[in-house]
Amino acid sequence: MRIAAQHLYQFKLHSYSWRYLSMKNFDPSKTFSKPLELTNADCERWMKCLLARADKVGLHGEVPVSAVILDQKGHCIGRGSNRRSKEYDPLGHAEIIALKQASLIKKDWRFNTCTLIVTLEPCPMCAGALVQARMGQVIFGADDPKRGALGGTIDLAKHKSSHHKMEVIRGVMREEAKEQLDKWFKQRRRPSF
């Protein structure tokens, strides 16, 4: 009986210490701050880089989509391009790959102060992951009227089940991004006789 009480006391002491340290190191500015405000020129500069990267990915047989995650200072902390075919991975979307990399660099799964920029409107899987990651802002180029989940077929950023509301900016270099995708799909579907 005495040993059980001693273990319980140590557990309570450990739990109290952990809570105290957590609160002691708690920084509300990291949790409640807003993401970086990008100018139109900044958005276009990043989108041009992403479209160039997506071109290279498209040459290797992947759907040409690329993404980048910026922290509150405007530094790239994660980037990704589609890798579904290359890695035989149904989760190999550019946004998911960028999120995984950024979470390792940030050492956190919360992205309230971050911005994701991507060439194509995120699908339901990626939009759901962005909501779960509490992404502060999403900027995308081409709309996806068939599978888009930030306004195309559904808007998970504003859906009543969404516990986190993120800012969405659509249509940055829309025509260039749409043209890149249309061209890629047209080449893939060209009959080979």
Side-chain angles (χ1 to χ4, degrees), residues 109-133:
W109 59 270
R110 294 172 196 89
F111 292 89
N112 302 67
T113 61
C114 296
T115 299
L116 176 118
I117 305 173
V118 64
T119 56
L120 177 65
E121 179 181 356
C123 71
M125 174 182 71
C126 294
L130 294 169
V131 169
Q132 291 299 318

Side-chain angles (χ1 to χ4, degrees), residues 64-111:
V65 177
S66 285
V68 67
I69 296 177
L70 307 177
D71 67 9
Q72 197 173 18
K73 295 178 183 175
H75 299 135
C76 173
I77 58 170
R79 62 187 176 100
S81 297
N82 277 6
R83 295 184 188 166
R84 290 192 325 164
S85 298
K86 181 180 179 185
E87 296 182 3
Y88 310 108
D89 182 6
L91 305 177
H93 288 210
E95 301 93 328
I96 302 293
I97 293 165
L99 273 172
K100 286 180 182 179
Q101 187 181 70
S103 64
L104 292 173
I105 290 171
K106 196 172 190 251
K107 294 185 181 7
D108 195 2
W109 59 270
R110 294 172 196 89
F111 292 89

Side-chain angles (χ1 to χ4, degrees), residues 141-153:
D143 296 306
D144 188 350
K146 292 182 181 178
R147 286 173 284 295
L150 292 179
T153 58

